[in-house]
Amino acid sequence: QDFVFSVRVLNEPRDMAIRQPNPGYVKESAVINAPVEAIWSMVAPMTFKFCSNVSQAKKNEDDSSILGQFTIAYTDNTVQTVRMTSMSEGHSDKRAVGFELVQSEPPVSYTSVMHLITLTAVTHTQGGPQTFVEYSSDFSTDADTEAIQDSKYKKIEFFQDLQKAVA
């Protein structure tokens, strides 16, 4: 059999940007000075009332999915619908909620993203109760670096707003 190989030389900056690998995964974490239950009571309803960039959020009443869909309106006039994909309340010292983007107006530049927020009680503290909070996002491979970096900074804002809300 004959094999044909094709080689393309990337010599334009535009081509190089296209070929850069996309990590596709963002995870940020923080220790919040509050018990797991206090933070869970703010995260589990999916209303994100403590977030400074959220103007309104509500559960979609007409949704038939098991865990529900939620519409979140942001202060920059973006409106997104997310579907809760998992909720874990099995342990007294650990909680988690997962959700995926269903729709966005204006549209996002990537095909999909799955988010997971995990709360774990810190068992050895020097003061009052603390919670270790992880917030991760797993993007489809078509997400660009700008979307990944934006997600990172929004998670940092999320932690800052959460700490203010429990203070």
Side-chain angles (χ1 to χ4, degrees), residues 21 43 55 95 98 102 110 132 142 157 162:
V43 173
S55 58
R95 306 274 193 278
V102 174
Y110 43 87
F132 180 70
D142 60 346
E157 289 176 15
L162 187 55

Side-chain angles (χ1 to χ4, degrees), residues 77-98:
N77 296 321
T78 299
V79 177
Q80 295 184 331
T81 301
V82 298
R83 177 183 305 116
M84 188 182 297
T85 57
S86 63
M87 178 178 273
S88 174
E89 297 181 306
H91 298 99
S92 62
D93 65 344
K94 190 164 188 147
R95 306 274 193 278
V97 62

Side-chain angles (χ1 to χ4, degrees), residues 19-113:
R19 298 289 183 195
Q20 289 180 351
N22 166 14
Y25 185 75
V26 178
K27 180 167 73 171
E28 293 295 324
S29 60
V31 174
I32 305 296
N33 296 317
V36 169
E37 299 81 20
I39 297 172
W40 186 242
S41 70
M42 292 187 285
V43 173
M46 297 286 292
T47 56
F48 302 108
K49 291 180 180 181
F50 62 91
C51 291
S52 60
N53 66 337
V54 173
S55 58
Q56 181 181 4
K58 63 180 174 116
K59 184 173 184 178
N60 298 350
E61 298 301 325
D62 60 343
D63 175 58
S64 62
S65 63
I66 294 172
L67 296 173
Q69 288 192 13
F70 302 80
T71 299
I72 305 168
Y74 296 90
T75 55
D76 68 356
N77 296 321
T78 299
V79 177
Q80 295 184 331
T81 301
V82 298
R83 177 183 305 116
M84 188 182 297
T85 57
S86 63
M87 178 178 273
S88 174
E89 297 181 306
H91 298 99
S92 62
D93 65 344
K94 190 164 188 147
R95 306 274 193 278
V97 62
F99 53 101
E100 66 183 338
L101 181 64
V102 174
Q103 183 178 349
S104 181
E105 189 57 47
V108 293
S109 62
Y110 43 87
T111 307
S112 65
V113 62

Side-chain angles (χ1 to χ4, degrees), residues 109-167:
S109 62
Y110 43 87
T111 307
S112 65
V113 62
M114 298 282 293
H115 302 284
L116 180 64
I117 300 173
T118 305
L119 314 177
T120 306
V122 176
T123 59
H124 181 74
T125 66
Q126 297 299 319
Q130 293 180 317
T131 302
F132 180 70
V133 182
E134 285 184 307
Y135 189 166
S136 62
S137 299
D138 193 3
F139 287 85
S140 55
T141 57
D142 60 346
D144 60 18
T145 305
E146 184 179 335
I148 302 295
Q149 286 299 312
D150 185 56
S151 176
K152 174 186 173 91
Y153 295 120
K154 285 182 178 168
K155 285 170 179 48
I156 293 168
E157 289 176 15
F158 173 89
F159 294 135
Q160 291 168 342
D161 290 343
L162 187 55
Q163 185 61 65
K164 286 179 195 171
V166 297

